[in-house]
């Protein structure tokens, strides 16, 4: 069993009659690049705020580094770099001065500022006031703020939100490189499946405040129904035969398609050959991750 | 504690509005001095002390309008630093104490108001020198009354601070601050003045000379008490508050 950096137990937040986060049991392993996926309003930001002790849970607990955030707030937060929703910055100050604030709070050496600026590629702009920055630059500054001082856990809430495609790619590549550069565990939230697919190795899917799936990206891809395409002679009889065997069969463009949660492809082949069918093609179509996701969340995507 | 104080001061850098507000009394004293010059005979014809005339000329407008409005703006701007650009969320996700942040920001707001009053006093003295007033400077009056005014303004400072931090939108505290300022002079003339902290600076600054504002020392007890009360209320709320 590997070490957990984040673990929540029955974490719940109610806003009046609305349950934004419901009985959440999150587990993020050390070293993971954990993608926290959910449509708009699914409860990602609320969860992240509870992890950072910005919002008090209605019920349940959040443990970071095996300690309850409610009772070890400062000790834990020293090791956590966060960017919640949109980037934060003091617009009257320069990029450097913004990082100077973090430096003083964490009591770091000056060179840490330059190091962080270097990683996010802002060194050239460090003496410019943030007021003049583009959104992408502000986002990078936000990540620099989270990085400073070799923090062990980075929590980034939708860090590519609102960026143009080039900006999205730049931030994405930056995030992918983070565990290698910093050795940190990273939790990144997003409502875009393809983004999580590109970045993360572990995934948690939240929907209407509930965690629907948690595991590796590979495990997620294995989920959902599989589909097998068959070309056999004689076709109509083969269809009848498979139907009688209890499979869910569909005929399209001269092929038979079977869908089921679990199919043993070799067994299907054997049964058909034994029955005397001429099987000329047998293949498995992996379902696209997107379909898995849609199936899981009941067809609603943000 | 010192660390956070330094950080909070750093955040004020390049905040022009804040400095304009803090230095605003200069313009007002210049106005008062010009007024005095224009009607010099009228104001001093019966042998009144010229310093006192300069003081009250400058002070009437200051305590009844300018000071409370400046306090509103100072406190709103201080809160705005965190209320904009998503800053509370990030600042409070750093390993610092909410308690200290809340306290130190208030102290800085109060300091700016204090600087404001110091600027006022110095401006009056400099203006008097420039006008060439021959009588010696009545330091006692020129120092004690503004200090008393400062203490009398405690409740306004606390009310404005608490509402500025409490409401994300700056229009609300500014509205409260300005809205409650305007009737202050009228209420000051009524028997209900004690229930209206906006009248306290008027009493403190102008009492003594102007019979009607001479209401005794009760404000110097009520004022710090209200400060503690209002501040504690805001402080407790802030510690419990969900940072959204
Ligand atoms: N302070 C609040 N008061 C009332 N309801 C809230 C509050 N904050 C969030 N909610 C509600 O809680 C639910 C979850 O919101 P949350 O911001 O956590 O979602 P999210 O997954 O981050 O969505 P997005 O992708 O839009 O950022 C939403 O229905 C939202 O309207
Ligand atoms: Mg969100």
């Amino acid at each position: 069993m590997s070490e957990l950096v984040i673990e929540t137990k029955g974490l719940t937040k109610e806003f009046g009659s609305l349950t934004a986060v419901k009985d959440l049991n999150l587990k993020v392993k050390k070293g993971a690049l954990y993608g926290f996926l959910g449509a708009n309003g699914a409860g990602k930001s609320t969860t992240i705020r509870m992890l950072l002790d910005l919002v008090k849970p209605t019920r349940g607990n959040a443990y970071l580094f095996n300690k309850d955030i409610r009772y070890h707030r400062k000790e834990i937060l020293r090791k956590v770099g966060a960017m919640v929703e949109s980037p934060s910055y003091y617009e009257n100050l320069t990029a450097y001065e913004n990082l100077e604030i973090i430096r003083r709070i964490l009591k770091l050496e000056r060179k840490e500022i330059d190091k962080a600026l270097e990683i996010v590629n802002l060194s050239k702009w460090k003496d410019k006031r943030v007021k003049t920055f583009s959104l992408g630059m502000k986002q990078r500054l936000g990540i620099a703020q989270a990085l400073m001082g070799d923090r062990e856990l980075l929590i980034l809430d939708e860090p590519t939100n609102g960026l143009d495609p080039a900006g999205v790619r730049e931030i994405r590549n930056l995030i992918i490189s983070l565990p290698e550069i910093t050795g940190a565990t990273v939790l990144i939230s997003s409502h875009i499946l393809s983004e999580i697919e590109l970045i993360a190795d572990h995934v948690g899917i939240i929907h209407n405040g509930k965690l629907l799936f948690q595991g590796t990206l590979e495990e997620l891809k294995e989920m959902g129904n599989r589909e097998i395409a068959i070309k056999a002679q004689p076709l109509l009889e083969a269809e009848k035969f498979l139907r009688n065997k209890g499979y869910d069969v569909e005929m399209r463009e001269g092929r038979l398609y079977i869908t089921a949660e679990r199919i043993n492809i070799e067994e299907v082949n054997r049964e058909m050959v034994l029955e005397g069918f001429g099987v000329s093609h047998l293949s498995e179509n992996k379902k696209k991750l997107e379909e898995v996701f849609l199936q899981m969340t009941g067809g609603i995507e943000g | 504690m010192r660390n956070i104080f330094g950080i909070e001061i750093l955040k004020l850098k390049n905040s022009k509005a804040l400095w304009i507000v803090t230095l605003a009394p200069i313009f007002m004293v210049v106005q008062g001095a010009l007024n005095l010059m224009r009607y010099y005979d009228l104001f001093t014809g019966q042998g009144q002390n010229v310093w006192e005339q300069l003081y009250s000329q400058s002070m009437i407008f200051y305590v009844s309008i300018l000071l409370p409005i400046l306090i509103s703006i100072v406190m709103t701007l201080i809160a705005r630093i965190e209320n904009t650009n998503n800053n509370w969320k990030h600042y409070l996700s750093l390993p610092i104490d909410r308690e200290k942040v809340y306290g130190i920001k208030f102290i800085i707001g109060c300091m700016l108001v204090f600087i404001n009053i110091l600027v006022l006093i110095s401006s009056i003295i400099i203006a008097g020198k420039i006008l060439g007033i021959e009588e010696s400077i009545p330091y006692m009056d020129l120092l004690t009354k503004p200090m008393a005014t400062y203490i009398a303004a405690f409740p306004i400072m606390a009310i404005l601070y608490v509402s500025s931090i409490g409401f994300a939108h700056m229009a609300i505290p500014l509205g409260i601050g300005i809205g409650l300022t305007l009737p202050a002079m009228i209420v000051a003339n009524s028997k209900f003045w004690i229930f209206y902290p906006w009248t306290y600076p008027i009493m403190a600054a102008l009492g003594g000379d102007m019979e009607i504002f001479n209401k005794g020392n009760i404000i110097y007890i009520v004022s710090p008490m209200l400060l503690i009360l209002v501040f504690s209320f805001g402080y407790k709320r802030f510690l419990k508050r969900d940072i959204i």
Side-chain angles (χ1 to χ4, degrees):
Chain A
M1 207 184 84
S2 56
E3 203 180 320
L4 292 179
V5 173
I6 301 175
E7 184 176 20
T8 68
K9 290 183 182 164
L11 200 64
T12 301
K13 180 68 186 182
E14 289 162 5
F15 293 110
S17 62
L18 178 107
T19 308
V21 173
K22 200 167 183 177
D23 211 8
L24 203 71
N25 298 311
L26 217 57
K27 286 183 164 67
V28 179
K29 289 180 188 147
K30 192 177 159 74
L33 225 168
Y34 188 102
F36 192 31
L37 183 65
N40 295 123
K44 303 180 294 292
S45 300
T46 306
T47 304
I48 286 174
R49 290 191 188 114
M50 287 192 280
L51 294 177
L52 297 167
D53 195 42
L54 293 170
V55 162
K56 307 266 179 287
T58 310
R59 277 186 299 283
N61 300 74
Y63 301 89
L64 282 78
F65 307 102
N66 298 311
K67 288 189 171 149
D68 193 328
I69 185 73
R70 274 218 297 252
Y71 306 113
H72 301 88
R73 178 176 169 275
K74 266 170 82 179
E75 181 193 341
I76 291 171
L77 290 181
R78 190 166 293 283
K79 299 195 268 186
V80 181
M83 188 169 110
V84 186
E85 293 194 307
S86 32
S88 306
Y89 49 87
Y90 300 106
E91 58 181 15
N92 285 333
L93 304 183
T94 65
Y96 191 91
E97 286 162 343
N98 269 279
L99 296 179
E100 168 70 9
I101 291 174
I102 315 281
R103 187 192 74 79
R104 289 198 200 170
I105 292 173
L106 299 175
K107 304 200 169 66
L108 305 169
E109 288 178 44
R110 287 235 148 68
K111 64 172 201 284
E112 293 285 332
I113 298 181
D114 295 309
K115 204 170 103 189
L117 284 167
E118 192 70 37
I119 294 176
V120 301
N121 209 359
L122 276 180
S123 304
K124 247 189 4 209
W125 310 94
K126 64 175 184 174
D127 294 323
K128 284 258 183 300
R129 286 203 208 165
V130 180
K131 197 183 280 188
T132 65
F133 279 16
S134 70
L135 180 62
M137 289 162 79
K138 286 172 183 164
Q139 223 102 356
R140 265 148 49 201
L141 178 65
I143 294 178
Q145 289 174 332
L147 284 179
M148 275 199 23
D150 295 323
R151 280 177 277 182
E152 292 169 43
L153 170 63
L154 301 178
I155 297 181
L156 307 172
D157 191 4
E158 310 223 26
T160 60
N161 220 0
L163 296 180
D164 60 26
V168 169
R169 206 155 109 185
E170 195 184 328
I171 298 282
R172 189 198 296 145
N173 289 338
L174 175 61
I175 292 168
I176 293 173
S177 69
L178 285 180
E180 211 170 300
I181 303 176
T182 66
T185 306
V186 181
L187 179 135
I188 167 178
S189 84
S190 175
H191 63 273
I192 304 162
L193 175 73
S194 57
E195 185 168 283
I196 292 294
E197 192 178 358
L198 284 168
I199 294 179
D201 47 36
H202 287 70
V203 184
I205 297 179
I206 185 171
H207 189 64
N208 289 336
K210 280 183 276 195
L211 198 63
L212 296 182
F213 170 85
Q214 179 165 241
T216 64
L217 190 63
E218 292 312 310
E219 284 164 357
L220 179 64
K221 285 179 179 166
E222 292 299 317
M223 297 273 297
N225 290 341
R226 300 160 83 188
E227 187 178 68
I228 292 178
I230 303 166
K231 219 168 165 178
Q233 285 297 336
L235 195 62
L236 288 175
E237 264 135 80
E239 186 196 4
K240 211 159 151 198
F241 170 73
L242 289 170
R243 234 183 256 289
N244 287 339
K245 285 267 167 196
Y247 291 112
D248 190 1
V249 191
E250 194 187 327
M251 189 157 65
R252 277 182 265 139
E253 296 147 16
R255 287 182 187 204
L256 302 174
Y257 293 88
I258 312 179
T259 53
E261 229 169 273
R262 263 190 213 90
I263 315 174
N264 187 333
I265 190 164
E266 282 158 26
E267 179 153 345
V268 173
N269 190 21
R270 190 166 348 106
E271 282 172 347
M272 292 184 74
V273 173
L274 280 178
E275 197 65 23
F277 291 106
V279 180
S280 59
H281 176 98
L282 197 63
S283 67
E284 182 184 345
N285 297 338
K286 273 244 164 78
K287 271 211 161 182
K288 282 220 215 90
L289 201 50
E290 191 173 2
E291 287 167 46
V292 176
F293 179 65
L294 287 177
Q295 195 181 319
M296 220 178 256
T297 56
I300 310 155
E301 201 194 0
Chain B
M1 203 75 177
R2 276 226 326 267
N3 198 11
I4 297 182
F5 189 82
I7 288 167
E8 292 300 330
I9 294 288
L10 174 63
K11 288 180 192 169
L12 302 182
K13 201 175 151 188
N14 301 325
S15 178
K16 278 198 216 83
L18 214 48
W19 293 112
I20 291 174
V21 165
T22 306
L23 302 179
I26 296 178
F27 307 108
M28 206 209 47
V29 172
V30 169
Q31 185 63 40
L34 289 176
N35 216 20
L36 180 65
M37 255 159 61
R38 197 172 319 145
Y39 304 107
Y40 197 82
D41 292 339
L42 184 71
F43 284 123
T44 60
Q46 283 138 25
Q48 297 102 317
N49 184 311
V50 189
W51 282 111
E52 266 170 28
Q53 289 301 327
L54 179 60
Y55 172 84
S56 49
Q57 274 305 299
S58 306
M59 219 53 180
I60 288 180
F61 180 66
Y62 181 74
V63 288
S64 61
I65 305 276
L66 193 65
L67 177 67
I69 288 181
L70 291 181
I71 292 174
S72 313
I73 299 175
V74 166
M75 295 304 180
T76 314
L77 287 178
I78 283 191
R80 207 179 98 95
I81 292 174
E82 309 297 344
N83 281 338
T84 53
N85 300 328
N86 213 10
N87 280 330
W88 276 127
K89 252 181 274 179
H90 183 248
Y91 195 35
L92 296 181
S93 71
L94 292 165
I96 47 171
D97 296 310
R98 278 196 194 194
E99 295 87 336
K100 285 184 191 164
V101 169
Y102 197 76
I104 288 172
K105 279 185 182 291
F106 183 55
I107 291 172
I108 288 180
C110 295
M111 275 172 46
L112 289 172
V113 176
F114 192 72
I115 293 174
N116 195 281
I117 290 199
L118 290 183
V119 169
L120 174 85
I121 300 169
S122 345
S123 308
I124 291 177
I125 292 175
I126 293 168
K129 288 284 177 199
I130 293 173
L131 287 179
I133 300 178
E134 280 155 17
E135 291 137 312
S136 61
I137 302 173
Y139 279 111
M140 262 323 274
D141 266 7
L142 276 186
L143 288 180
T144 48
K145 278 189 187 164
M147 289 310 121
T149 306
Y150 182 66
I151 294 169
F154 277 175
I156 304 181
M157 291 191 245
I159 292 169
L160 261 304
Y161 178 71
V162 167
S163 50
S164 298
I165 301 270
F167 296 103
H169 208 294
M170 67 185 287
I172 297 172
L174 269 184
I176 296 176
I178 295 169
L180 291 178
T181 296
L182 299 177
M185 225 3 152
I186 298 162
V187 184
N189 284 304
S190 79
K191 59 183 175 199
F192 303 111
W193 68 275
I194 190 78
F195 301 109
Y196 203 80
W198 267 252
T199 62
Y200 299 178
I202 300 175
M203 307 300 174
L206 305 177
D209 304 335
M210 300 189 190
E211 204 53 40
I212 180 157
F213 298 130
N214 215 347
K215 295 280 166 44
N217 292 329
I218 184 154
I219 44 178
Y220 305 112
I221 300 162
V222 176
S223 194
M225 271 167 45
L226 278 177
L227 175 130
I228 293 168
L229 213 69
V230 174
F231 181 82
S232 319
F233 168 79
Y235 178 82
K236 282 203 194 105
R237 274 178 58 105
F238 182 73
L239 293 191
K240 275 194 297 197
R241 172 170 135 189
D242 281 348
I243 307 293
I244 299 293

